[in-house]
Amino acid sequence: MIRKATVATVLIAVFGLCVGLSTNANAQEKDDWMKPITKQGSAAFVFTINGLGSFGIGGPGLGAVPVPIQGDFNPRSPADSMMTLNGLGMKYFFSDDMALRVALGFNHSSRKDFDTSSFAPAMTAWGIGVGVEDHFRPLYSVSPYAGLQVKYASESADEQSNQNITYSGHTFGIGAFAGFDWFVTHGIAIGAEGGLGWMTSSFSQTLSGTGGSTTTGPDVSSIALAMDGLVHVVVYF
């Protein structure tokens, strides 16, 4: 009887050890599965999450770009003639824990009236943003980072009521940012970031034709908290 009890105890102990090792292996595998990806050669697309009541996913914003609204450029209040240029965002780790990120934006629109022989105005805007992320020591599944970025955007548009008038604008900005990526599973992370940025914009109005002239100004500069792309999703490939 004692021998049978001893054998049963040994079997139970072996079974418990196997379960414990299996559980520990699964936990370790799960931790590895959600481990931050910051190795050289890693690459990812970046998307931004916008809105609470009206939920949406889009590309990273390049910030404000000068654009005439309804052909009514307001030199006294250039902020009324600005739009946010969204685009496509990517990041690439050129070394361990150091990533280059790029945002590209493009927008073209035109309008034709019912009378197709009339003048059809058009607006074209494009921009590029380049930054470097320095990722710190990860905290479980979270990878904190900080970095610097620069951006440039340009826009041109025709006056809707007069084809001899063209508006154009240029924007340059630089900023510092900090944020984090939380890896919810392998290759997919949700994060947020914020920072401090400086931006300057210049405007001009050109009158073509005989005796045409160009009027420039005003120039606008600002320093503000940079919250473009505050919440984002990173998908590695």
Side-chain angles (χ1 to χ4, degrees):
M1 181 65 69
I2 296 178
R3 185 177 179 179
K4 291 183 179 180
T6 302
V7 173
T9 302
V10 172
L11 291 176
I12 292 174
V14 171
F15 177 76
L17 179 61
C18 292
V19 172
L21 291 175
S22 177
T23 302
N24 183 64
N26 289 336
Q28 184 176 2
E29 182 180 357
K30 183 178 180 181
D31 291 340
D32 292 338
W33 190 253
M34 299 171 62
K35 185 178 180 180
I37 301 175
T38 59
K39 293 295 184 181
Q40 181 180 2
S42 300
F45 289 108
V46 181
F47 305 91
T48 58
I49 300 177
N50 305 311
L52 293 176
S54 180
F55 181 79
I57 295 180
L62 288 172
V65 176
V67 54
I69 297 177
Q70 298 298 323
D72 182 20
F73 177 75
N74 186 354
R76 295 184 179 181
S77 181
D80 294 338
S81 302
M82 305 285 275
M83 64 172 286
T84 297
L85 181 63
N86 291 319
L88 173 67
M90 295 183 64
K91 68 169 64 178
Y92 174 78
F93 284 84
F94 57 89
S95 67
D96 290 350
D97 302 326
M98 295 291 292
L100 173 70
R101 67 186 204 178
V102 178
L104 301 174
F106 179 79
N107 189 332
H108 175 79
S109 62
S110 61
R111 189 192 72 180
K112 276 189 175 295
D113 293 328
F114 292 107
D115 180 6
T116 57
S117 63
S118 63
F119 172 64
M123 183 276 291
T124 301
W126 65 272
I128 182 172
V130 180
V132 175
E133 296 178 1
D134 184 6
H135 286 250
F136 308 134
R137 180 179 178 180
L139 179 63
Y140 300 104
S141 299
V142 177
S143 178
Y145 62 84
L148 297 172
Q149 64 182 2
V150 295
K151 66 178 181 180
Y152 173 80
S154 178
E155 177 275 333
S156 63
D158 299 319
E159 168 63 54
Q160 292 190 7
S161 60
N162 190 337
Q163 60 181 329
N164 294 323
I165 300 178
T166 300
Y167 298 101
S168 63
H170 304 275
T171 298
F172 175 78
I174 184 171
F177 59 86
F180 68 90
D181 290 334
W182 171 43
F183 284 76
V184 295
T185 186
H186 183 69
I188 300 179
I190 298 175
E193 71 176 49
L196 185 65
W198 171 81
M199 183 188 73
T200 180
S201 298
S202 60
F203 305 81
S204 66
Q205 173 183 293
T206 302
L207 179 63
S208 60
T210 305
S213 61
T214 299
T215 303
T216 60
D219 295 333
V220 181
S221 298
S222 64
I223 298 178
L225 290 175
M227 292 300 181
D228 292 338
L230 178 62
V231 180
H232 56 259
V233 177
V234 186
V235 181
Y236 285 79
F237 57 91

